[in-house]
Amino acid sequence: MPGCELPVGTCPDMCPAAERSQREKEGRLHRFEVAPGCRGDRPRADPQRAVKEYSRPAAGKARPQPSQLRPPSVLLATVRYLAGEVAERADASGAEVASFVADRLRAVRLDLALQSAGDAEAAVVLEAALAVLLAVVARLGPNAAYGPADPVLLQAQVQEGFGSLRRCYARGPGPHPRQAAFQGLFLLYNLGSVEALNEVLQLPAALRSRPALRTALAVDSAFREGNAARLFRLLRALPYLQSCAVQCHVGLARRRALARLASALSTPRGQTIPLGFVVHLLALDGPEEAQDLCQAHGLPLDGQERVVFLRGRYSEGGLPPTGACRVLVGSKLGGRTLEEVVMAEEEDEGGDGSKSRA
């Protein structure tokens, strides 16, 4: 608000002590936050694991004290913890991880908005938070029962993250070393959106000329044109975070490509093509996924190696299957941890960078 000076956060922990104590009493600790070996009806919070949960600001409610707000350095450490210790957990489902991480990242953005912070340091926090969120949402997998993770809410959280970050970019010139990459991620996540494309095209020419944004614009163009060969060639080459952002559009792109093939190749007696061609063209994970995709669209198979395009047989029902996307997404970490990808300093060439923040 004009004339209202924002405080500077002073809380040194990922979760303020007062909140930890309150949630202990009320039994509202997530199992990720409980002290190791703690048993019984009232588990204790581990100060090294507890993370501030999101609480919607209420009208008329007093502003939080500086002691309840985490400064940017603590917020960045919190995001790093979520990337390194929570997102990689093997003892939890993707849905549980995504639900927890999305809520805690929402609290990170709120803490940042309620205090005075420079645009450069705020952008670093928002970039890291958005990168983690994109990764955990992508890891939910296709057609999975999301359980505690509401896919509509998660999508809204991603868009909110992009909005906060892009407003931060717009407030000042930076420097923001990862701006081109994250503006590209915005376009890839909103592939085919006229509004998103127009917003990107209004960015300064020098920014649009960066490799990461040029690649994102090329992917968007191929998607709009229905050029499956070019689109999936570009998708194969995308780095990990960009692949996470675009994953939600892969199923639709594959369906459109298969529909074009059916329109061009279908005959009354049936025309066959090798299943391997479909695997390569659509960057599928293997012949079994190609078989499932063809059968889901009414296309019969000739044995295990060829698909038959019979006129009138192609059909579409329900949402297009995305598939596991191991080739297009999962394989691209290349031995790195999610924390290393999230904390990269630059993505000048459209990659995930090789340097990490200390």
Side-chain angles (χ1 to χ4, degrees):
M1 293 177 60
C4 180
E5 185 174 347
L6 294 175
V8 176
T10 61
C11 176
D13 301 322
M14 294 192 296
C15 181
E19 180 185 315
R20 290 201 307 268
S21 177
Q22 184 68 23
R23 286 205 281 134
E24 273 186 0
K25 294 176 182 177
E26 297 175 356
R28 292 191 297 110
L29 291 174
H30 192 281
R31 70 185 185 94
F32 295 168
E33 303 174 303
V34 174
C38 184
R39 302 181 183 277
D41 296 332
R42 185 169 293 178
R44 290 180 291 102
D46 184 343
Q48 303 302 314
R49 298 183 180 192
V51 184
K52 185 177 183 179
E53 68 177 2
Y54 176 77
S55 177
R56 184 185 299 275
K61 186 178 179 180
R63 287 180 175 272
Q65 296 298 312
S67 61
Q68 301 300 307
L69 297 173
R70 298 160 292 178
S73 60
V74 177
L75 292 174
L76 189 60
T78 300
V79 175
R80 189 167 195 165
Y81 167 79
L82 292 171
E85 301 297 331
V86 178
E88 306 281 13
R89 290 185 71 122
D91 64 339
S93 68
E96 184 180 13
V97 167
S99 178
F100 179 84
V101 169
D103 177 86
R104 275 31 178 194
L105 290 178
R106 196 177 188 189
V108 165
R109 292 194 299 273
L110 181 59
D111 267 20
L112 199 58
L114 291 176
Q115 65 182 292
S116 177
D119 291 332
E121 60 181 351
V124 171
V125 175
L126 293 171
E127 288 165 350
L130 184 53
V132 176
L133 187 57
L134 285 171
V136 297
V137 171
R139 291 178 179 188
L140 281 172
N143 308 319
Y146 282 13
D150 181 344
V152 176
L153 179 58
L154 289 174
Q155 183 180 30
Q157 290 301 304
V158 173
Q159 296 289 16
E160 182 180 310
F162 276 120
S164 298
L165 179 57
R166 297 181 77 250
R167 286 191 295 272
C168 183
Y169 288 152
R171 284 196 294 267
H176 304 301
R178 302 179 81 183
Q179 182 175 3
F182 277 84
Q183 296 283 15
L185 287 171
F186 168 72
L187 182 59
L188 291 171
Y189 189 78
N190 294 283
L191 210 59
S193 164
V194 175
E195 293 80 6
L197 178 60
N198 285 339
E199 289 188 33
V200 168
L201 291 178
Q202 291 174 25
L203 295 171
L207 189 61
R208 294 200 314 273
S209 69
R210 299 280 288 278
L213 257 179
R214 290 206 312 268
T215 298
L217 286 165
V219 171
D220 184 75
S221 176
F223 181 80
R224 290 172 187 278
E225 295 167 2
N227 188 335
R230 183 165 186 254
L231 174 63
F232 284 98
R233 185 168 62 248
L234 289 167
L235 295 186
R236 285 178 183 271
L238 287 181
Y240 180 70
L241 282 182
Q242 283 81 351
S243 298
C244 289
V246 82
Q247 179 177 310
C248 56
H249 302 285
V250 168
L252 178 58
R254 285 173 172 163
R255 169 172 282 181
R256 287 177 175 176
L258 203 58
R260 283 176 176 254
L261 285 176
S263 176
L265 300 177
S266 293
T267 65
R269 298 182 63 181
Q271 183 173 184
T272 65
I273 63 172
L275 208 59
F277 173 80
V278 178
V279 171
H280 176 75
L281 176 67
L282 305 183
L284 296 162
D285 290 335
E288 289 186 2
E289 187 175 19
Q291 292 170 7
D292 292 342
L293 181 66
C294 291
Q295 291 176 337
H297 290 86
L299 298 175
L301 300 173
D302 180 7
Q304 299 295 312
E305 298 181 354
R306 303 185 73 84
V307 57
V308 183
F309 287 92
L310 270 170
R311 186 169 296 169
R313 290 294 298 273
Y314 177 83
S315 62
E316 296 179 359
L319 295 175
T322 301
C325 287
R326 287 186 294 272
V327 168
L328 289 181
V329 184
S331 64
K332 293 179 178 178
L333 273 176
R336 294 165 299 164
T337 65
L338 178 58
E339 181 183 353
E340 289 171 336
V341 173
V342 165
M343 302 306 295
E345 290 183 342
E346 296 187 37
E347 296 186 63
D348 285 333
E349 302 303 320
D352 291 308
S354 59
K355 297 184 292 182
S356 297
R357 295 181 181 275

